[in-house]
Amino acid sequence: MTAYSEQVLEKADELRKNGPGLILGIESSCDETAAAVLRGRFVLGTAVHTQIPVHRLYGGVVPEIASRSHTERIGSVVRQALENAGVTLDDIDAVAVTYRPGLIGALLVGVSYAKGLAYANGLPLVGVDHITGHIAANYITYPDLEPPFMCIVASGGHSHIVRVNSYTDFTLIGRTRDDAAGEAFDKVARAMGLPYPGGPELEKLAKDGDPNAFPLHTAFNEGESFDFSFSGLKTAVVNIMHNAGQKGESVNKADLAASFQRAVTDALTRKSVRAAREAGLGTLALAGGVSANTALRERLQRECDRNGIRFCRPDMKYCTDNAAMIACQGHYELLAHDPSPLSLDPNAASFLQMQ
Ligand code: KG4
Ligand code: ZN
């Protein structure tokens, strides 16, 4: 099962020449089994099964449980997405799937399913890097958005500043040296006794807090580099709670959460706006699960307004993992090059990490 038939290659050519076909997107890189049907940037239907309630029992994602759940759900999630889009498999022109980065066992489920579907139905297959998928969530929200632009991708696994040169060409400008922004949110939330995933819970707690109550910051994030470091901030929060505990004092958790959120938001905003300005780019986009954070969205909007930069961020429903963003990026990948081989293998690392 490694070579496409002539008809499939002709179909891919036709898609390239005659504009957007119907793309079925599949996402299974972490704890969401998702499918979506798009024509270009236009979403016809989506379906998602979230595993969060199960992983919450363990305080984080358990890879084996994730893989098993994807295997159990993927068929029904794809059927549901097709039904919600009002189409059948016969209407689909290509299958796009997340093949990197993520949990290897979880990726394997989506990639194997997508390969089988493509092969059995004579469809081109396109592997999509999850990070570029997050960036593409912005194309769904802004039909007029076109590269080049700068993008800050903040998710559970990555904090990247990426120059989006074209729909399929990217330059990594900065990255985290240790914890990703979402990972830091999750770890700090956990230390405060909040359930998984900690980001949205910490944001709720921070709403009633004073963001300047604790002078949290890191010298590294204030430097010239476009890289980030968040593990020092996380340790600072843990130490504040630990020291207070030892003295028998209580900490105002809302103030601490708000101060931590302000410190992360400061670093992400300052560096990404400077990256856009120094590159002479008029647009800055936000992407990845942390893009659901309202304080971050508002802070970036303010900074971009002040610098005459257009600020884009995905609709809330396309911030965290979803398959619409994968189908959307798949559409552009298919326009730019041949379909992926049917021997496509999942990979735990993003190609953006290897530059
Ligand atoms: O992109 P995503 O859904 O999965 C990965 O690709 O990692 O991102 C999930 C991350 C988690 O760390 C989660 O806590 C964080 O995004 N997150 C948030 C918010 N919503 C999700 N972080 C801060 N504030 C939020 N509202
Ligand atoms: Zn993600």
Side-chain angles (χ1 to χ4, degrees), residues 55 61 68 102 144 160 201-202 208 211 266 298 317 334:
H55 297 298
V61 178
R68 181 181 295 255
D144 64 324
H160 281 352
E201 299 290 332
L202 193 134
D208 300 321
D266 269 359
E298 289 176 355
K317 59 179 178 290
L334 274 172

Side-chain angles (χ1 to χ4, degrees), residues 209-287:
D210 171 5
N212 297 309
F214 294 89
L216 292 173
H217 70 104
T218 61
F220 184 87
N221 288 332
E222 282 157 21
E224 285 300 295
S225 160
F226 286 117
D227 285 353
F228 298 101
S229 168
F230 293 118
S231 82
L233 275 177
K234 171 197 67 189
T235 308
V237 172
V238 171
N239 284 346
I240 287 169
M241 292 201 298
H242 185 71
N243 290 343
Q246 279 192 329
K247 289 184 204 151
E249 296 167 1
S250 68
V251 177
N252 184 321
K253 285 190 181 172
D255 283 352
L256 193 52
S259 302
F260 167 78
Q261 180 174 264
R262 193 250 322 129
V264 174
T265 304
D266 269 359
L268 294 173
T269 302
R270 195 166 338 103
K271 293 203 180 206
S272 59
V273 171
R274 183 163 62 86
R277 250 194 10 240
E278 286 186 13
L281 292 171
T283 303
L284 174 65
L286 171 65

Side-chain angles (χ1 to χ4, degrees), residues 4-345:
Y4 285 110
S5 65
E6 277 302 311
Q7 289 99 307
V8 177
L9 293 175
E10 275 167 25
K11 196 177 189 92
D13 256 357
E14 202 182 295
L15 280 179
R16 223 177 342 261
K17 284 188 207 121
N18 298 335
L22 273 194
I23 311 233
L24 170 66
I26 294 175
E27 155 65 37
S28 73
S29 66
C30 190
D31 56 359
E32 245 96 50
T33 319
V37 179
L38 270 78
R39 188 180 294 285
R41 299 178 175 209
F42 183 75
V43 181
L44 279 85
T46 65
V48 58
H49 172 259
T50 180
Q51 305 172 6
I52 285 175
V54 180
H55 297 298
R56 186 165 274 178
L57 302 174
Y58 304 93
V61 178
V62 183
E64 289 78 6
I65 294 176
S67 308
R68 181 181 295 255
S69 174
H70 286 306
T71 310
E72 286 166 1
R73 295 292 182 144
I74 196 156
S76 57
V77 166
V78 167
R79 276 192 295 279
Q80 191 62 56
L82 292 168
E83 200 181 310
N84 292 348
V87 301
T88 70
L89 253 186
D90 292 339
D91 301 311
I92 297 296
D93 295 304
V95 181
V97 64
T98 306
Y99 79 111
R100 67 193 311 174
L103 301 170
I104 196 74
L107 287 167
L108 193 58
V109 177
V111 169
S112 307
Y113 191 89
K115 281 198 241 185
L117 212 56
Y119 184 69
N121 294 278
L123 298 172
L125 172 77
V126 57
V128 173
D129 187 289
H130 184 81
I131 296 182
T132 67
H134 272 302
I135 296 170
N138 281 284
Y139 301 139
I140 301 173
T141 303
Y142 301 91
D144 64 324
L145 176 62
E146 281 177 18
F149 57 88
M150 199 57 80
C151 189
I152 169 82
V153 188
S155 71
H158 301 85
S159 306
H160 281 352
I161 298 179
V162 180
R163 188 185 196 282
V164 183
N165 305 314
S166 76
Y167 289 108
T168 52
D169 184 44
F170 308 86
T171 306
L172 187 62
I173 305 288
R175 66 188 162 76
T176 184
R177 296 276 179 97
D178 38 57
D179 291 350
E183 184 180 1
F185 266 96
D186 292 342
K187 287 178 175 171
V188 164
R190 190 175 180 167
M192 289 184 171
L194 300 171
Y196 175 87
E201 299 290 332
L202 193 134
E203 181 179 12
K204 268 187 238 156
L205 180 61
K207 282 213 163 73
D208 300 321
D210 171 5
N212 297 309
F214 294 89
L216 292 173
H217 70 104
T218 61
F220 184 87
N221 288 332
E222 282 157 21
E224 285 300 295
S225 160
F226 286 117
D227 285 353
F228 298 101
S229 168
F230 293 118
S231 82
L233 275 177
K234 171 197 67 189
T235 308
V237 172
V238 171
N239 284 346
I240 287 169
M241 292 201 298
H242 185 71
N243 290 343
Q246 279 192 329
K247 289 184 204 151
E249 296 167 1
S250 68
V251 177
N252 184 321
K253 285 190 181 172
D255 283 352
L256 193 52
S259 302
F260 167 78
Q261 180 174 264
R262 193 250 322 129
V264 174
T265 304
D266 269 359
L268 294 173
T269 302
R270 195 166 338 103
K271 293 203 180 206
S272 59
V273 171
R274 183 163 62 86
R277 250 194 10 240
E278 286 186 13
L281 292 171
T283 303
L284 174 65
L286 171 65
V290 184
S291 65
N293 186 282
T294 304
L296 178 61
R297 290 161 84 97
E298 289 176 355
R299 178 77 208 280
L300 274 163
Q301 182 73 64
R302 274 199 309 278
E303 267 326 287
C304 283
D305 287 349
R306 195 171 299 155
N307 285 278
I309 292 171
R310 178 188 186 195
F311 173 58
C312 298
R313 76 287 174 283
D315 281 343
M316 281 295 187
K317 59 179 178 290
Y318 300 126
C319 287
T320 47
D321 291 350
N322 65 88
M325 66 186 199
I326 301 302
C328 185
Q329 182 59 23
H331 157 68
Y332 288 109
E333 299 288 346
L334 274 172
L335 288 183
H337 53 73
D338 285 342
S340 304
L342 285 169
S343 56
L344 181 75
D345 275 332

